[in-house]
């Protein structure tokens, strides 16, 4: 049975899970599990893997009247975080979950697992990432993109470099992931951001 398998082998964790959870926890960012499985089972699995302390709430499929792809479960989860939907982010591996988040008007990132991204998934997600630690890079890239589009450019370039409100900036990512693809990309973005704010010596250090 599934329970016996978990008892014997544990759960397979997605790459970057603990790193992302530690980062979110250290920056007091709320985290909620919204699963189609019944709440008691989800709670049991999280406790088994010593992950339950990371989450502020758990919502199971037995707590809503309509399962995914209905947006009901994400609407319920969103009410618990009490922040604007555009500042909320859903991580999903299923097409029905992506549909649910999309219909709830909450940005969603696909983390492919058993299924690969379809055209519909690509259309309805803001990103498709293979590594959960890349979520931090995604947030920094969004700040950079807003700056390059000319929206309060100087302040947003600084935000993309340094981060804020628990969000990593390119400088931190470049330092922590030095020598990796993410670190190299962060170095490039940091250099461009420094160029655009007139800090040429700092730009040289990153480019």
């Amino acid at each position: 049975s599934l329970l016996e398998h978990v008892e014997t082998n544990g759960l397979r964790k997605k790459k970057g899970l603990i790193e992302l959870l530690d980062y979110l926890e250290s920056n007091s960012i709320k985290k909620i599990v919204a699963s189609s499985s019944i709440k008691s089972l989800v709670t049991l699995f999280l406790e088994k893997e010593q992950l339950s302390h990371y989450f502020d709430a758990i919502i199971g499929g037995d707590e809503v009247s309509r399962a995914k792809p209905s947006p009901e479960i994400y609407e319920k989860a969103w009410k618990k975080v009490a922040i604007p939907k555009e500042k909320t982010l859903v991580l999903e591996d299923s097409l029905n979950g992506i549909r649910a988040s999309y219909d709830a008007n909450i940005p969603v990132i696909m983390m492919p697992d058993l299924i690969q991204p379809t055209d519909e998934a690509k259309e309805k997600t803001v990103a498709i990432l293979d590594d959960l630690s890349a979520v931090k890079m995604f947030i920094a890239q969004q700040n950079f993109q807003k700056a390059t589009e000319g929206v309060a450019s100087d302040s947003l370039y600084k935000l993309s470099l340094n981060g804020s409100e628990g969000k990593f900036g390119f400088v931190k990512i470049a330092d922590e992931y030095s020598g990796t693809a993410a670190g190299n990309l962060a170095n490039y973005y940091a250099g461009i951001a420094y160029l655009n704010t007139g800090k040429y010596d700092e730009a040289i250090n990153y480019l």
Side-chain angles (χ1 to χ4, degrees):
S1 70
L2 177 59
L3 285 175
E4 290 173 342
H5 176 81
V6 172
E7 284 291 336
T8 304
N9 304 296
L11 290 173
R12 180 175 61 86
K13 299 182 183 71
K14 285 185 179 291
K15 184 179 179 182
L17 173 64
I18 301 301
E19 179 185 334
L20 177 60
L21 288 174
D22 283 338
Y23 160 69
L24 297 173
E25 184 74 10
S26 66
N27 289 285
S28 301
I29 297 175
K30 289 186 177 181
K31 304 163 293 299
I32 295 177
V33 175
S35 173
S36 297
S37 300
I38 62 173
K39 183 175 181 178
S40 60
L41 189 61
V42 176
T43 302
L44 177 64
F45 288 164
L46 290 176
E47 290 176 350
K48 170 68 177 174
E49 296 299 317
Q50 300 182 333
L51 296 172
S52 56
H53 67 283
Y54 282 110
F55 296 97
D56 299 276
I58 299 169
I59 300 174
D62 54 327
E63 296 182 285
V64 293
S65 60
R66 293 166 295 172
K68 302 174 185 177
S70 165
E72 181 181 356
I73 195 167
Y74 282 127
E75 291 285 1
K76 188 168 185 175
W78 169 69
K79 290 177 181 177
K80 291 182 178 292
V81 298
I83 62 173
K85 285 186 176 182
E86 62 269 20
K87 293 186 178 181
T88 305
L89 191 61
V90 169
L91 306 180
E92 260 290 354
D93 63 3
S94 74
L95 185 55
N96 276 344
I98 290 168
R99 290 167 175 162
S101 183
Y102 182 83
D103 287 344
N105 294 313
I106 300 173
V108 55
I109 290 176
M110 183 180 189
M111 312 296 303
D113 189 13
L114 298 178
I115 65 168
Q116 292 304 301
T118 63
D119 289 340
E120 181 183 1
K122 294 174 183 177
E123 178 186 345
K124 293 183 175 180
T125 56
V126 294
I128 297 173
L129 305 173
D130 293 320
D131 185 337
L132 283 165
S133 62
V135 173
K136 295 178 289 187
M137 186 70 175
F138 169 81
I139 294 171
Q141 284 177 313
Q142 295 306 295
N143 289 330
F144 182 88
Q145 184 175 344
K146 289 178 183 177
T148 58
E149 290 171 352
V151 181
S153 58
D154 282 351
S155 62
L156 278 173
Y157 277 126
K158 292 176 183 176
L159 182 63
S160 70
L161 283 165
N162 302 311
S164 74
E165 298 179 355
K167 299 174 182 178
F168 266 29
F170 290 126
V171 171
K172 184 74 170 178
I173 295 170
D175 179 57
E176 292 207 359
Y177 298 93
S178 177
T180 68
N184 293 336
L185 188 59
N187 273 317
Y188 169 77
Y189 278 121
I192 297 300
Y194 276 126
L195 276 175
N196 280 281
T197 54
K199 296 184 176 181
Y200 303 114
D201 289 338
E202 288 88 340
I204 291 171
N205 288 333
Y206 283 90
L207 292 173

